Amino acid sequence: MRSTLADIAREAGVSSATVDRVLNNRSGVKARTRDIVIETARRLGYFGALKEGGGCVQLDFVLPAGTNTFIANLQQQIEMQASGRDDLDVRVHSVEGFNPYTLATKLNELHGRTMGAGVIALDHPAVREAMRSLAALGVPIITLVSDILHVPRLGYIGIDNRAAGRLAGYLLGRLLGPGGRRKIALFAGSLSYRGHEEREMGFRHVVSEEFPHLEVVELREIRDDRARALTETRSLLQRHPDLAGIYNIGAGNSGIGEALMESGGARNVIFVGHELTENSKQLLLNGTLDAVIDQNPRVEAREALSMLARSVRGEPLEYHPPRLQVIFRENIPEN
């Protein structure tokens, strides 16, 4: 059985209330006392009750809420795959997508309540500190979809986002073809996601290297929100009626597509986006969206569950990363 708070308090020479404050990351405890409590809890096996094998592994995933269909598909895959395994008890928490303090608070709430955690992490000091604090308790953490550096994470599950951005730039440049100065625009969910920042960097690099006649006239953050994407695209087309191309770094393809169709520019603007969902599939079929760079949520869910469960049990880690895939109207997969 896992040690209790009273066991830890007795061994550490402090009160149960102090142990509770430390394990739940509350203030009012000296740094030295905090270190003693954490080390005692680790020594007594409080954080690793399942590492000797057997039992049910409690895992928690913290994902952004909102209208991002890919995130919804990822959550569905995590829950569906976990439900088919008797050795896993998985909870998925949805938090405000672009609020680092809400995300950090949720991670702190997992202290003493989880054996492994997966998170789509905003690159923010509050989030990094919350991840460090959780990892200090012996909890393995993985990042999903968007990575974050300088934290003690177990690993990153997702595509190479810089390579994805370069691929998008190459596609857009080739589809637009040679010619005079051409205007293009970028949309991002939020550059506080390192993955979105890396995609932008990769995109800009390949455009400047190979397609110098393309001019990025605007970059708009749309918070992965369909309604905001619709409004921003309408304004963009009014400001730049000669716009030649759009690269959407994150979610919101359906809003951008609706604005392009209602303006009559669906066939005149080359549009490249991410993630094959039911919405983006329809945009590919009607010619509004020209190409989709896809990552497979089924694979990411599988790898996330496997990596965390293996880490908790002390088993060798295995990782089979998802591959980038470009999807056009002519090669839409059946499933």
Side-chain angles (χ1 to χ4, degrees), residues 108-148:
N108 288 331
E109 289 174 358
L110 297 179
H111 286 208
R113 301 175 184 176
T114 191
M115 297 173 182
V119 60
I120 297 180
L122 292 164
D123 196 353
H124 187 276
V127 176
R128 290 195 294 271
E129 189 57 34
M131 292 176 68
R132 291 185 188 116
S133 179
L134 188 59
L137 299 178
V139 176
I141 304 171
I142 60 166
T143 53
L144 287 154
V145 183
S146 182
D147 200 8
I148 181 171

Side-chain angles (χ1 to χ4, degrees), residues 75-198:
Q75 177 174 341
Q76 181 184 48
Q77 284 293 328
I78 290 172
E79 293 173 336
M80 182 177 68
Q81 293 185 38
S83 68
R85 294 180 56 171
D86 295 333
D87 62 327
L88 297 181
D89 180 12
V90 173
R91 298 175 297 194
V92 179
H93 311 270
S94 295
V95 299
E96 184 181 345
F98 299 94
N99 187 329
Y101 299 103
T102 302
L103 175 56
T105 297
K106 177 54 67 175
L107 290 172
N108 288 331
E109 289 174 358
L110 297 179
H111 286 208
R113 301 175 184 176
T114 191
M115 297 173 182
V119 60
I120 297 180
L122 292 164
D123 196 353
H124 187 276
V127 176
R128 290 195 294 271
E129 189 57 34
M131 292 176 68
R132 291 185 188 116
S133 179
L134 188 59
L137 299 178
V139 176
I141 304 171
I142 60 166
T143 53
L144 287 154
V145 183
S146 182
D147 200 8
I148 181 171
L149 302 182
H150 310 300
V151 293
R153 59 169 179 58
L154 183 66
Y156 163 63
I157 307 292
I159 59 173
D160 181 336
N161 284 300
R162 191 180 182 92
R166 289 186 63 89
L167 179 57
Y170 181 78
L171 284 169
L172 197 62
R174 294 290 291 176
L175 289 170
L176 283 170
R181 204 73 176 166
R182 310 288 291 277
K183 293 181 178 180
I184 57 176
L186 280 69
F187 289 101
S190 172
L191 297 181
S192 58
Y193 279 126
R194 186 177 183 87
H196 287 197
E197 182 182 39
E198 290 174 342

Side-chain angles (χ1 to χ4, degrees), residues 243-310:
L243 190 74
I246 290 175
Y247 170 40
N248 184 27
I249 292 172
N253 287 332
S254 59
I256 297 170
E258 182 177 343
L260 287 172
M261 287 186 286
E262 70 180 24
S263 72
R267 295 287 180 171
N268 301 322
V269 177
I270 299 297
F271 178 18
V272 175
H274 282 266
E275 318 311 350
L276 186 67
T277 65
E278 286 304 314
N279 290 330
S280 59
K281 185 184 296 185
Q282 293 306 311
L283 292 174
L284 283 171
L285 289 171
N286 67 29
T288 302
L289 186 57
D290 295 278
V292 167
I293 300 170
D294 189 52
Q295 57 184 318
N296 193 323
R298 179 183 59 79
V299 173
E300 294 187 7
R302 181 196 70 203
E303 294 302 309
L305 292 170
S306 174
M307 183 178 287
L308 286 173
R310 283 177 172 274

Side-chain angles (χ1 to χ4, degrees), residues 49-62:
L50 297 185
K51 287 193 176 182
E52 298 304 320
C56 193
V57 177
Q58 172 68 64
L59 302 178
D60 289 80
F61 290 84
V62 185

